[in-house]
Amino acid sequence: MSMKLARWRDRLTQQESLNFLLTNRVPRLALTRFMGRYARIDSPALTRFSVAVWRMFTDLDLSEAEPPPTATGRCATCSRAG
């Protein structure tokens, strides 16, 4: 991550008013529903974008992640057969 991007991220996360707004004023039910709808979107570009944003805020290690299924089965919570 570039130094300029890291400084921007640090400034953004240290904004007390923004942190308060996101943790206390956003209706949790609405946010939960939004995230449910967002998770159902089947777009490789959106997936790459989401992972890139996640990596900006944390050390994301996907080395142990299973490869995506080749079929169109979308059950993310189902256990693997075998």
Side-chain angles (χ1 to χ4, degrees):
M1 183 179 324
S2 71
M3 191 60 81
K4 186 176 183 180
L5 186 60
R7 279 187 276 144
W8 176 83
R9 180 204 58 204
D10 292 341
R11 285 181 51 207
L12 181 66
T13 58
Q14 292 174 0
Q15 295 291 325
E16 290 297 322
S17 58
L18 178 64
N19 290 336
F20 179 81
L21 176 71
L22 292 175
T23 57
N24 296 317
R25 296 294 181 218
V26 175
R28 285 175 178 80
L29 182 59
L31 189 58
T32 300
R33 287 183 180 162
F34 169 76
M35 289 309 296
R37 289 181 185 149
Y38 185 83
R40 282 187 237 119
I41 299 172
D42 193 15
S43 168
L46 184 61
T47 301
R48 285 190 296 274
F49 173 75
S50 300
V51 170
V53 170
W54 191 275
R55 283 183 175 160
M56 285 188 344
F57 293 98
T58 185
D59 294 329
L60 183 63
D61 180 19
L62 297 175
S63 61
E64 295 180 8
E66 293 184 27
T70 55
T72 59
R74 293 201 74 261
C75 184
T77 59
C78 298
S79 61
R80 280 189 1 193

